[in-house]
Amino acid sequence: MKFSVQKTPISDLLVIRPNVYEDERGFFLETYNKDEFEKLGLNLDFVQDNHSKSKKGVLRGLHFQTKFSQGKLVRVTKGSVWDVAVDLRKDSKTYKNWFGIEISEKNKLMFYIPENFAHGFLTLEDNTEFQYKCTNFYHAEYDSGIIWNDKNINVKWPFDVYDIDINEVIISEKDKKMQNFEDYDEKK
């Protein structure tokens, strides 16, 4: 197997570790292989790749689409992030629960976030580059999210651990205006 999978406390939310081949030249790894993923039970059809670059202390999220939900396979190619997924599957035993993990260019972990999850991340280093594959196209008209500091979800963002001043976190104007979980839940 070219990949190993670590389950999380939330069903279908997976940490994927690729096999890394290192020598004096550097390293090589596969970031996706349809046959290998199918052996892991992940029958995914990716249709879009995205790439972002951010300063340290940028917080993006918690994003999702209300229709045409996207599954995401995320990884970091430079720097590091604290990556978070929130279960929005109303019929799930872990509805409203979140899971977070550090992924970085050093640990080379990937995080698979299934459809019907909110997703966000905090950059832990300057010039962090974040890449992800999506199972559905971006549809601006269905773009939505939940405010990053929602009290009902209560994500424990590790600002202190990574020496990030919460008052200096960089958040887009769009993300500052996101709804809280209660408002989202009432509409669903």
Side-chain angles (χ1 to χ4, degrees):
M1 298 291 289
K2 296 179 180 181
F3 304 91
S4 60
V5 172
Q6 172 190 336
K7 293 183 178 185
T8 69
I10 300 175
S11 67
D12 304 321
L13 186 64
L14 304 171
V15 177
I16 300 171
R17 182 181 303 279
N19 287 343
V20 180
Y21 305 95
E22 294 186 73
D23 61 25
E24 67 279 353
R25 300 169 296 165
F27 72 86
F28 172 84
L29 64 95
E30 286 186 33
T31 58
Y32 175 71
N33 179 307
K34 186 170 182 61
D35 290 341
E36 293 289 322
F37 272 54
E38 284 179 359
K39 289 177 190 174
L40 298 170
L42 296 169
N43 299 315
L44 306 170
D45 183 22
F46 293 114
V47 298
Q48 180 178 319
D49 283 7
N50 298 324
H51 185 152
S52 69
K53 182 176 181 179
S54 304
K55 302 175 187 180
K56 180 178 181 177
V58 168
L59 197 153
R60 298 179 187 257
L62 301 161
H63 301 144
F64 61 91
Q65 289 186 166
T66 56
K67 290 186 181 175
F68 306 108
S69 184
Q70 295 175 305
K72 297 176 182 176
L73 178 63
V74 305
R75 69 192 190 99
V76 172
T77 53
K78 183 175 183 194
S80 58
V81 304
W82 176 254
D83 203 76
V84 172
V86 180
D87 190 349
L88 298 181
R89 301 171 297 177
K90 194 99 175 181
D91 59 346
S92 170
K93 292 178 184 175
T94 54
Y95 181 62
K96 195 174 81 169
N97 290 3
W98 65 272
F99 178 82
I101 187 170
E102 181 182 334
I103 59 175
S104 70
E105 71 178 299
K106 291 177 185 168
N107 68 24
K108 296 176 181 50
L109 294 176
M110 296 184 289
F111 194 28
Y112 175 64
I113 301 144
E115 295 175 359
N116 300 308
F117 277 71
H119 173 251
F121 63 91
L122 171 68
T123 54
L124 308 175
E125 299 178 47
D126 277 330
N127 300 311
T128 292
E129 295 196 31
F130 186 83
Q131 297 183 9
Y132 54 106
K133 303 177 96 43
C134 301
T135 60
N136 215 325
F137 296 105
Y138 174 71
H139 293 272
E141 66 273 28
Y142 300 114
D143 186 34
S144 191
I146 295 169
I147 192 79
W148 66 275
N149 60 351
D150 181 87
K151 301 292 185 229
N152 289 299
I153 296 173
N154 200 26
V155 172
K156 303 288 187 223
W157 298 97
F159 300 115
D160 294 343
V161 174
Y162 296 99
D163 197 31
I164 297 171
D165 185 336
I166 192 168
N167 298 311
E168 294 179 14
V169 172
I170 304 163
I171 303 170
S172 73
E173 288 305 310
K174 178 184 103 171
D175 285 357
K176 288 178 184 176
K177 297 174 185 170
M178 289 292 179
Q179 64 196 326
N180 63 39
F181 184 83
E182 209 169 84
D183 290 340
Y184 159 75
D185 196 38
E186 286 176 12
K187 287 186 254 178
K188 192 165 183 195

